[in-house]
Amino acid sequence: MGSQGTARWQHVLDAIDFHPDGALARSLATLWRLSLAVKAYQERDRHGYTRDPSDLLRPDLEDEDRIRDHLLSLFIPAAVKGVLGRVSKVLITAIR
């Protein structure tokens, strides 16, 4: 992740540093949930990043369950989009 990528996450990293026992820090303490967050918030389209990691600081994401559900709701479409994009490229290449 370059400096732009790190800067996008700075508010999240600060929140974790300031509240290491908070819901966000606990939610991202496992590799699984951290992977969900990265997949969801590092997704790009032709205009740039599609989401802002600072969304994880929203007041409605106050506990681990809500953060987990939020990450899953973003991860599934991002993962499917990535797979469909790769499948489309393979099919287009095969047709040509």
Side-chain angles (χ1 to χ4, degrees), residues 34-51:
L34 185 58
S35 297
L36 292 177
V38 169
K39 179 67 176 171
Y41 286 101
Q42 290 299 108
E43 181 183 18
R44 297 179 189 203
D45 62 16
R46 66 177 186 257
H47 304 291
Y49 292 104
T50 59
R51 294 179 189 87

Side-chain angles (χ1 to χ4, degrees), residues 16-58:
I16 291 169
D17 283 344
F18 293 134
H19 304 286
D21 295 324
L24 182 59
R26 289 190 314 270
S27 292
L28 298 180
T30 67
L31 184 56
W32 166 240
R33 292 217 185 130
L34 185 58
S35 297
L36 292 177
V38 169
K39 179 67 176 171
Y41 286 101
Q42 290 299 108
E43 181 183 18
R44 297 179 189 203
D45 62 16
R46 66 177 186 257
H47 304 291
Y49 292 104
T50 59
R51 294 179 189 87
D52 183 352
S54 293
D55 289 348
L56 290 167
L57 305 175
R58 292 187 341 223

Side-chain angles (χ1 to χ4, degrees), residues 3-94:
S3 62
Q4 179 190 14
T6 302
R8 294 179 67 248
W9 288 89
Q10 194 59 53
H11 294 296
V12 173
L13 297 172
D14 290 344
I16 291 169
D17 283 344
F18 293 134
H19 304 286
D21 295 324
L24 182 59
R26 289 190 314 270
S27 292
L28 298 180
T30 67
L31 184 56
W32 166 240
R33 292 217 185 130
L34 185 58
S35 297
L36 292 177
V38 169
K39 179 67 176 171
Y41 286 101
Q42 290 299 108
E43 181 183 18
R44 297 179 189 203
D45 62 16
R46 66 177 186 257
H47 304 291
Y49 292 104
T50 59
R51 294 179 189 87
D52 183 352
S54 293
D55 289 348
L56 290 167
L57 305 175
R58 292 187 341 223
D60 61 308
L61 299 177
E62 64 205 23
D63 61 43
E64 290 179 66
D65 290 338
R66 288 183 183 203
I67 294 169
R68 178 204 61 218
D69 293 348
H70 171 73
L71 291 174
L72 283 171
S73 74
L74 298 176
F75 174 80
I76 293 169
V80 169
K81 182 179 176 184
V83 169
L84 291 178
R86 288 189 298 276
V87 168
S88 295
K89 288 177 185 175
V90 169
L91 289 174
I92 289 169
T93 302

